[in-house]
Amino acid sequence: KSKGPSPPEESVKKLPPEEAKRVSYFSQLWELEPETRREKYSISPHRSNYMLPYTYNTSPNYEAVRAADPGKDLKYEEVVFQLSLKVKLWEDIFGQKADLWFGYTQRSFWQFYNFEDSSPFRETNYEPELLFNFRTYYRLLGFRGRFINVGFNHQSNGQSEPLSRSWNRIVANAGFERGDFSLLLKGWYRIPESAQNDDNPDIEKYLGYGEIWAYYFWKGNRFGIMLRNNLDFNPNQGAVQLEWSFPLIKQVSGYLQYFNGYGESLLDYNHRVNRIGIGFILKDWN
């Protein structure tokens, strides 16, 4: 009795155990697959969470801090750390492949080594955002389009004049993956403010309208780069951030970060920073 045609080879082919268990970076971060889905209201990482106990900035922004306190001193050495978490507020909106998230990121620049001034915090940036995340799966130039999220973003440093900085944006981001490579395209539109309320009216001349993040994963290491440019040649302003996260212990990796350009913090949005730092990062990838 004929058994009929055999199924195509790829339909019965099984992935190696290490590949079958592997979950991509964006799948973990945005819960894109059934096996990565958490319960609603669970707290998860948003952006990177790290501590750099030692950083060295060759160009501190004396002008900004001395506008408020002429006698203020700054050290080249600083402690920099970032806390970034998110929570899912609404899962599978109206039965669709979309979720509503609330994210919060806080980044602090601590003049810990300035013992003469009692180690003050130079600046902290607060960044809450509300994001609709749409789970996608399409192919573009060899990449898989994994998600698109759109939403509202507020960023401020919580200081009084003349050091106050803030802006509100409509943001749109798209994530792509190919093997061990992850690519995040970010764009934004600044919500206009009245002249009397705007303490950084020219911020787009320095930060532009978007940035690119790229990550490559290899044997527990994560190599990252961020590129940003105002796409204006008169004058051209931009920034680059290079990262290397290397295995240390199970959930904590060593972390090396280099930043050069404008917009490292809100207070430094129009000041070029050249900083390198080393420390630790919480591992949120396989």
Side-chain angles (χ1 to χ4, degrees):
K1 189 174 181 179
S2 174
K3 296 182 179 179
S6 299
E9 183 179 348
E10 58 267 24
S11 68
V12 296
K13 183 179 178 181
K14 293 184 178 180
L15 292 172
E18 62 273 15
E19 290 293 326
K21 294 179 181 178
R22 183 179 173 194
V23 178
S24 74
Y25 177 55
F26 285 152
S27 289
Q28 293 184 79
L29 202 60
W30 291 102
E31 304 181 13
L32 303 178
E33 310 292 351
E35 59 269 26
T36 62
R37 307 288 276 170
R38 302 181 182 91
E39 294 184 4
K40 192 168 57 173
Y41 304 127
S42 61
I43 298 174
S44 61
H46 184 25
R47 303 177 192 172
S48 295
N49 290 275
Y50 61 81
M51 163 73 79
L52 299 172
Y54 182 85
T55 72
Y56 190 88
N57 177 15
T58 64
S59 51
N61 192 356
Y62 296 106
E63 182 179 351
V65 297
R66 287 175 179 171
D69 183 355
K72 189 79 170 180
D73 188 28
L74 290 177
K75 299 294 184 183
Y76 295 105
E77 303 86 356
E78 273 188 326
V79 175
V80 178
F81 60 90
Q82 178 170 287
L83 172 67
S84 186
L85 302 169
K86 65 180 183 297
V87 59
K88 183 165 48 179
L89 303 178
W90 190 358
E91 185 176 83
D92 296 331
I93 300 172
F94 300 125
Q96 303 301 309
K97 293 182 178 181
D99 306 313
L100 176 63
W101 294 84
F102 173 77
Y104 177 76
T105 302
Q106 179 175 315
R107 193 178 191 199
S108 294
F109 300 83
W110 183 14
Q111 285 272 297
F112 173 78
Y113 302 99
N114 189 353
F115 303 119
E116 295 86 354
D117 291 337
S118 300
S119 303
F121 276 81
R122 178 173 64 87
E123 183 181 25
T124 295
N125 289 173
Y126 309 94
E127 191 171 355
E129 54 189 340
L130 195 64
L131 297 168
F132 288 95
N133 187 68
F134 301 91
R135 306 191 298 276
T136 62
Y137 195 100
Y138 60 92
R139 294 197 175 272
L140 180 66
L141 302 176
F143 285 85
R144 292 183 299 158
R146 302 309 314 278
F147 69 86
I148 296 173
N149 56 48
V150 295
F152 172 80
N153 175 288
H154 169 78
Q155 188 179 28
S156 64
N157 65 357
Q159 298 199 46
S160 57
E161 294 292 353
L163 300 181
S164 175
R165 303 285 188 273
S166 67
W167 63 334
N168 298 306
R169 293 175 286 174
I170 301 298
V171 297
N173 313 310
F176 301 87
E177 291 181 323
R178 182 176 182 176
D180 295 315
F181 184 72
S182 296
L183 179 67
L184 177 62
L185 305 181
K186 305 182 69 173
W188 54 74
Y189 166 75
R190 186 186 184 189
I191 299 174
E193 298 181 44
S194 63
Q196 62 182 13
N197 294 326
D198 194 347
D199 41 35
N200 34 246
D202 57 345
I203 192 170
E204 290 159 301
K205 294 181 180 179
Y206 295 90
L207 272 69
Y209 303 92
E211 58 194 22
I212 299 173
W213 288 83
Y215 295 108
Y216 182 74
F217 302 87
W218 178 73
K219 294 184 178 180
N221 294 267
R222 187 182 79 171
F223 303 93
I225 182 171
M226 182 279 293
L227 298 172
R228 184 169 62 226
N229 195 273
N230 65 355
L231 302 179
D232 189 348
F233 294 99
N234 188 29
N236 184 256
Q237 317 284 14
V240 59
Q241 180 169 301
L242 303 175
E243 306 178 356
W244 175 32
S245 306
F246 49 91
L248 208 57
I249 58 178
K250 188 173 181 181
Q251 291 302 122
V252 179
S253 290
Y255 185 46
L256 183 66
Q257 183 191 92
Y258 172 72
F259 182 93
N260 185 286
Y262 296 88
E264 186 193 34
S265 71
L266 282 178
L267 196 60
D268 295 330
Y269 82 91
N270 59 355
H271 177 81
R272 179 176 287 277
V273 170
N274 182 45
R275 181 195 304 276
I276 190 167
I278 190 167
F280 313 95
I281 187 170
L282 294 184
K283 186 177 178 183
D284 57 1
W285 63 91
N286 283 336

